């Protein structure tokens, strides 16, 4: 009897395009190489946005790559069956993406010089974004209401498990030289400086025109119209008609969705789970 999730190491995963064997192999056997760049996040934290930025930095603002190759091919997902197959065959420096929690991430990372960018986002916005995503796609268990999803999220009964555990695990890596911690909120507030910070971390130098192009072509409105990046080409076996990953693209959408009681219950759990972390690490209230 299935509950709509694929269970692996005690965590729920989407059931389409994921397999127990695939997850096991990705987590235990995948070899991360020194020249790899890895984008890691809890789902709905701005992963696609970050991939678009990295691809544009890589091509120095030229849009040919982002307009001709789908985003899941440019930076395949390590733990998804189709992504894993692509990565295994790939030579040279690779971009790869993962939502894996820290404790399941391939151990080869620890002995490599690969660069990891972890992007985080206000968990209340992550919750709202996830509610819409899992409701309008067929990858995983569908919530019947926002209230139900709210309960699931607090319990970690959502794809990839608890947001709190995810962030706590990856935070332990934040002082490593080859790890950059970013937030969706800082990208929104000051995209230019944040892109410059990414360039510096990657050791890439862009001239002002190239930087302008990265900024423009990774913006929400441009990405929303790029069918190679907005997931509109996914077949209807995976997503509802007219689905796009670029739903709203703002900070604070939770205020339009959560009740006062929900926000208070969330904050109470947040205080408990995040006790011990300096508040300044997280740019949300
Ligand atoms: S996934 O499927 O878990 O990898 O989703 P992820 O890409 O992490 O997050 C999706 C949310 O990111 C928003 N998004 C953007 N915001 C601002 N600018 C750009 N360019 C951009 N691209 C994607 C997307 O709209 C989702 O957030 P919500 O709140 O649902 O709109």
């Amino acid at each position: 009897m299935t509950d709509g999730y694929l269970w692996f190491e005690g965590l729920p995963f989407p059931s389409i395009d994921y397999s127990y064997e695939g997850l096991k192999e990705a987590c235990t056997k995948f070899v991360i190489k020194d020249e790899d760049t890895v984008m890691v996040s809890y789902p709905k934290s701005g992963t696609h946005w970050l991939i678009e930025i990295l691809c544009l930095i890589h091509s120095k603002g030229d849009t040919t790559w982002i307009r001709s190759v789908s985003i899941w091919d440019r930076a395949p997902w390590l733990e998804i069956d189709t992504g894993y197959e692509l990565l295994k065959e790939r030579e040279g420096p690779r971009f790869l993406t993962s939502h894996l929690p820290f404790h399941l991430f391939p151990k080869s990372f620890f002995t490599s010089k690969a660069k990891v960018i972890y992007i985080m986002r206000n968990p209340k916005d992550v919750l709202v974004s996830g509610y819409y995503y899992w409701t309008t796609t067929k990858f995983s268990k569908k919530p019947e209401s926002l209230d139900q999803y709210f309960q699931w999220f607090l319990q970690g009964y959502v794809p990839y498990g608890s947001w709190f555990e995810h962030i706590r695990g990856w935070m332990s890596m934040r002082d490593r030289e080859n790890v950059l911690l970013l937030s969706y909120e800082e990208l929104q507030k000051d995209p230019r400086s944040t892109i410059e910070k990414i360039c510096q971390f990657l050791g890439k130098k862009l001239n002002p025109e190239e930087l302008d192009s990265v900024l423009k072509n990774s913006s929400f409105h441009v990405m929303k119209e790029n069918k190679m990046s907005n997931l509109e080409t996914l077949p209807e076996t995976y997503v509802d008609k007219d689905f796009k990953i670029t739903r709203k693209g703002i900070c604070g959408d939770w205020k339009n969705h959560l009740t006062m009681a929900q926000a208070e219950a969330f904050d109470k759990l947040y205080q408990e789970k995040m006790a011990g972390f300096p508040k300044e690490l997280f740019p949300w209230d």
Side-chain angles (χ1 to χ4, degrees):
M1 197 43 199
T2 168
D3 67 350
Y5 289 129
L6 171 78
W7 288 84
F8 176 74
E9 294 289 328
L11 287 185
F13 285 87
S15 48
I16 293 186
D17 239 5
Y18 290 69
S19 65
Y20 185 89
E21 295 70 31
L23 278 164
K24 194 168 174 199
E25 189 166 332
C27 295
T28 58
K29 300 222 167 73
F30 188 76
V31 179
I32 303 219
K33 299 181 190 156
D34 287 347
E35 62 273 24
D36 289 338
T37 306
V38 194
M39 287 153 272
V40 184
S41 60
Y42 185 85
K44 321 323 298 174
S45 302
T47 327
H48 287 78
W49 191 8
L50 180 63
I51 298 173
E52 201 77 336
I53 291 170
L54 257 76
C55 292
L56 282 160
I57 291 175
H58 178 76
S59 62
K60 292 189 170 282
D62 184 292
T63 57
T64 313
W65 194 30
I66 64 154
R67 297 203 171 275
S68 58
V69 180
S70 68
I71 197 157
W72 58 81
D73 193 330
R74 284 182 258 134
W77 256 262
L78 169 64
E79 65 274 14
I80 298 181
D81 289 345
T82 43
Y84 189 77
E85 288 309 309
L86 287 169
L87 285 171
K88 269 200 316 196
E89 306 300 320
R90 207 153 275 187
E91 301 284 331
R94 301 171 294 187
F95 279 155
L96 51 130
T97 312
S98 180
H99 291 315
L100 283 173
F102 177 64
H103 70 284
L104 293 181
F105 199 69
K107 301 291 171 277
S108 52
F109 163 63
F110 299 105
T111 48
S112 84
K113 296 192 182 85
K115 294 198 162 132
V116 166
I117 305 183
Y118 184 84
I119 183 157
M120 59 185 178
R121 183 183 188 185
N122 184 335
K124 291 190 203 122
D125 285 335
V126 166
L127 188 162
V128 170
S129 179
Y131 167 69
Y132 283 103
Y133 182 78
W134 304 115
T135 309
T136 53
T137 61
K138 296 164 187 157
F139 295 111
S140 192
K141 193 177 173 76
K142 274 182 197 278
E144 278 163 18
S145 63
L146 179 58
D147 190 42
Q148 184 184 51
Y149 189 76
F150 178 81
Q151 300 302 335
W152 290 357
F153 191 90
L154 294 197
Q155 293 156 19
Y157 186 60
V158 288
Y160 291 89
S162 159
W163 179 88
F164 301 100
E165 298 313 320
H166 203 280
I167 197 119
R168 290 168 61 94
W170 277 104
M171 278 294 142
S172 65
M173 291 285 100
R174 70 182 186 275
D175 292 329
R176 281 201 166 208
E177 216 172 83
N178 59 338
V179 175
L180 176 68
L181 182 64
L182 282 186
S183 69
Y184 184 93
E185 287 71 21
E186 70 181 305
L187 260 176
Q188 284 279 10
K189 196 169 162 209
D190 193 347
R192 182 177 289 272
S193 306
T194 313
I195 291 170
E196 282 173 336
K197 182 160 133 186
I198 299 172
C199 286
Q200 198 176 11
F201 174 69
L202 297 175
K204 302 271 179 200
K205 195 134 184 60
L206 300 188
N207 68 34
E209 291 76 40
E210 291 165 348
L211 187 64
D212 282 347
S213 174
V214 176
L215 198 56
K216 176 177 151 215
N217 290 295
S218 63
S219 71
F220 185 76
H221 299 289
V222 174
M223 254 187 92
K224 196 174 177 128
E225 298 311 317
N226 181 1
K227 66 179 191 315
M228 290 296 154
S229 306
N230 63 18
L231 306 194
E232 72 172 84
T233 58
L234 282 176
E236 276 184 41
T237 41
Y238 288 175
V239 294
D240 289 357
K241 203 168 172 297
D242 299 328
F243 171 83
K244 284 184 182 181
I245 187 79
T246 39
R247 185 187 64 92
K248 210 161 179 183
I250 60 166
C251 295
D253 195 29
W254 66 269
K255 292 176 192 153
N256 302 315
H257 290 82
L258 300 192
T259 63
M260 195 107 89
Q262 283 173 329
E264 277 172 18
F266 195 106
D267 291 345
K268 188 165 175 285
L269 185 69
Y270 185 96
Q271 304 305 336
E272 282 167 26
K273 296 273 191 185
M274 303 305 284
F277 283 102
K279 267 200 169 115
E280 313 76 68
L281 270 181
F282 309 114
W284 50 76
D285 27 71

